[in-house]
Amino acid sequence: MKKKGLLSLLAILVIGSLAGCGSTSAKAGNNQQEEPSSVAAIKKRDKLKVAVFGDLSPYGYLDEKGENQGYDVYLAKQLAKDLLGDEKKIEFVVVNAEERVDALKSNKVDLVLANFTKTPEREKVVDFAKPYMKVGIGVVSPKSAAVTAPEALAGKELIVTKGTTAETYFTKEYPDVQLEKYESKSQQFQALTDGRGAALADDNTYLYAWVKENPDYEVGIKEIGEVSTINPAVKKGNETLLNWLNEDLEKLSAAQFFETAYDATLKPFFGADIKAEDVIVGQ
């Protein structure tokens, strides 16, 4: 009787263990299906959450009514229309440069369209879709004391925004240049006009737009370092959204959407000196 009782107890324990394994596997399967920014999850939610800048005209900014505008916003609305059938089914989350990666990791947004330059370091922490813009680093300074070569910045203060490619580039390539770092684009341009630095380094494409509105300044260094691309970014491992984005970007490019977007949002800011092909990227 004792032997039979022991065998019965062992059988119960084994069955319980197997049931527990099955439960764990089921939970694991559910977790895989619960990626909050997958295409399925976005469609179920019926809203696309996109990180954009709020102070970077003409790419992502708030107009006088407090509404999101700009080239990145124009693209975001089209993506919402293609995915959910309505460009209004979108939630814009305004971020600064340093918040872009965390916004994805914390599932605060589904994707980032905040003038996000693709770099090897960033590829380690997010997944980039195909590019929709190209850009280089430029340096803007007062016309009265124009900076036309990086060597002229030695021992001087150069204004940058934290978390940008300009900060990374000058830290690595010109360590003798003193960097004055700010949290946002509006803060950095205010610092330049206040005279808190000899010059400001950032993406050349929106420096061109800024000097058009601020004619006392010029882009003395139009391009330094490698030419990079601006790409939508999604959370690392979010394959369904990444694949959908790449397919949709190809379709938009074939339909010349980006030329239309340029004319609608960037051309009025750049003027005749900059052409669409200087900025947009074909797939």
Side-chain angles (χ1 to χ4, degrees), residues 93-281:
V93 178
V94 174
V95 297
N96 61 37
E98 284 194 303
E99 294 171 336
R100 292 175 293 195
V101 173
D102 286 341
L104 287 173
K105 286 184 174 181
S106 64
N107 299 313
K108 190 175 182 179
V109 299
D110 302 313
L111 70 145
V112 170
L113 285 175
N115 216 252
F116 209 9
T117 307
K118 180 180 178 180
T119 67
E121 293 76 16
R122 290 171 178 168
E123 284 186 285
K124 297 175 183 177
V125 292
V126 302
D127 284 335
F128 285 102
K130 293 186 176 184
Y132 63 97
M133 277 185 61
K134 56 187 174 182
V135 66
I137 298 170
V139 177
V140 63
S141 53
K143 285 183 176 179
S144 58
V147 174
T148 58
E151 292 75 18
L153 290 166
K156 296 182 179 179
E157 295 175 340
L158 176 66
I159 297 167
V160 296
T161 296
K162 294 178 182 178
T164 60
T165 50
E167 178 194 10
T168 302
Y169 176 79
F170 276 95
T171 298
K172 181 180 178 181
E173 302 295 338
Y174 294 93
D176 56 341
V177 176
Q178 183 176 340
L179 300 183
E180 288 291 318
K181 304 177 184 181
Y182 292 87
E183 297 290 340
S184 69
K185 303 297 182 182
S186 56
Q187 288 178 353
Q188 71 165 2
F189 284 118
Q190 185 63 52
L192 180 63
T193 56
D194 288 346
R196 284 178 265 163
L200 181 153
D202 216 319
D203 290 356
N204 55 9
T205 49
Y206 50 81
L207 293 185
Y208 295 147
W210 189 82
V211 296
K212 187 180 179 184
E213 297 180 352
N214 297 269
D216 292 335
Y217 296 82
E218 67 178 59
V219 184
I221 302 176
K222 291 182 169 58
E223 188 177 295
I224 188 170
E226 296 183 2
V227 175
S228 304
T229 59
I230 303 295
N231 305 53
V234 302
K235 187 178 179 181
K236 198 73 175 172
N238 188 356
E239 294 184 6
T240 62
L241 184 56
L242 181 65
N243 292 338
W244 181 88
L245 273 172
N246 284 332
E247 291 176 4
D248 202 53
L249 290 170
E250 287 185 0
K251 292 177 183 177
L252 291 174
S253 181
Q256 297 186 318
F257 165 83
F258 295 103
E259 287 85 347
T260 302
Y262 177 89
D263 290 342
T265 61
L266 299 182
K267 187 176 182 178
F269 289 85
F270 287 166
D273 293 338
I274 307 298
K275 306 297 183 184
E277 57 266 27
D278 295 328
V279 178
I280 65 175
V281 176

Side-chain angles (χ1 to χ4, degrees), residues 3-43:
K3 187 175 181 180
K4 289 182 179 180
L6 180 59
L7 289 174
S8 299
L9 178 60
L10 287 172
I12 292 170
L13 290 174
V14 169
I15 292 170
S17 176
L18 289 173
C21 290
S23 176
T24 302
S25 299
K27 289 179 180 178
N30 288 338
N31 287 337
Q32 290 178 354
Q33 296 172 3
E34 290 171 1
E35 166 57 54
S37 290
S38 67
V39 170
I42 294 169
K43 288 183 175 180

Side-chain angles (χ1 to χ4, degrees), residues 84-96:
L84 301 174
D86 187 346
E87 69 171 29
K88 294 181 180 180
K89 292 182 177 181
I90 192 167
E91 177 184 338
F92 290 111
V93 178
V94 174
V95 297
N96 61 37

